[in-house]
Amino acid sequence: MKIFISLLMTLMSLNTFTKELSLNELQIMAKKNHYGINAAQLHVKYHEADEAAERSYFLPKIGLSYTTESITSDDLNESEQTKAIYADVNLFNGFDDQLHLAQQKLKTSKSKANLKKSEYELNLHLEELYYLHIYTNKPVSYTHLRAHETRH
């Protein structure tokens, strides 16, 4: 957030030497550099991966097994090899896997909602600063920007 604030202050104070940025350009830059939004995006990816892992419990599992047993004594030296192919299908376990999947879907949707909320609040604050700068033609103060940072 500090990087975003310093970048925004620099851009707003040097507007006579650089081209004016549009609100959309500021929003794109802010979303890319905002730590809270980056963290929320990572939470969404994390919960989506967990949801995919929960979905995998419904898939059949096939495997190979190979074991060797050896028995050695003074007069006997014997070894036995076992080869096996096994399959596991999760038919019914009391709806436990379905409940875990539903719970993971809720976590994913909650993290997506939190991301949208963070983006909305950032856009709202950016619009406020942008129009404050345009209509008053004053640079935005550092304390005004810090006030938004402490609200969250």
Side-chain angles (χ1 to χ4, degrees):
M1 186 68 181
K2 291 179 184 177
I3 293 171
F4 163 70
I5 291 171
S6 62
L7 179 65
L8 187 63
M9 285 181 50
T10 304
L11 291 174
M12 288 186 171
S13 64
L14 297 176
N15 65 354
T16 56
F17 301 111
T18 61
K19 73 173 189 109
E20 285 285 328
L21 291 175
S22 70
L23 181 59
N24 288 339
E25 291 171 332
L26 283 174
Q27 288 173 338
I28 291 169
M29 286 173 42
K31 285 180 187 177
K32 190 180 355 177
N33 296 317
H34 194 274
Y35 292 125
I37 291 188
N38 291 339
Q41 289 170 343
L42 289 176
H43 275 90
V44 168
K45 288 180 184 178
Y46 172 78
H47 288 298
E48 285 174 344
D50 279 351
E51 185 179 330
E54 287 293 332
R55 222 180 261 117
S56 72
Y57 289 119
F58 292 103
L59 300 174
K61 295 162 187 64
I62 298 174
L64 298 171
S65 174
Y66 178 81
T67 58
T68 303
E69 289 183 29
S70 298
I71 301 173
T72 42
S73 64
D74 292 337
D75 55 343
L76 182 64
N77 190 6
E78 189 176 303
S79 70
E80 183 178 318
Q81 297 177 351
T82 306
K83 300 174 189 173
I85 297 176
Y86 62 90
D88 183 23
V89 178
N90 187 5
L91 293 177
F92 183 74
N93 64 351
F95 300 110
D96 191 39
D97 289 336
Q98 288 178 349
L99 292 175
H100 285 288
L101 180 60
Q103 183 181 25
Q104 199 56 49
K105 284 181 179 181
L106 287 173
K107 287 181 182 178
T108 303
S109 64
K110 180 182 176 185
S111 63
K112 286 180 180 179
N114 285 339
L115 173 62
K116 284 187 176 188
K117 179 184 175 203
S118 297
E119 288 176 344
Y120 173 77
E121 288 174 351
L122 178 66
N123 286 338
L124 194 63
H125 185 67
L126 271 175
E127 287 178 18
E128 178 186 343
L129 294 175
Y130 183 76
Y131 291 119
L132 176 71
H133 173 70
I134 287 177
Y135 293 126
T136 61
N137 205 12
K138 296 180 193 173
V140 178
S141 70
Y142 182 71
T143 55
H144 185 98
L145 292 169
R146 294 289 296 174
H148 173 67
E149 208 174 279
T150 57
R151 267 190 262 164
H152 298 278

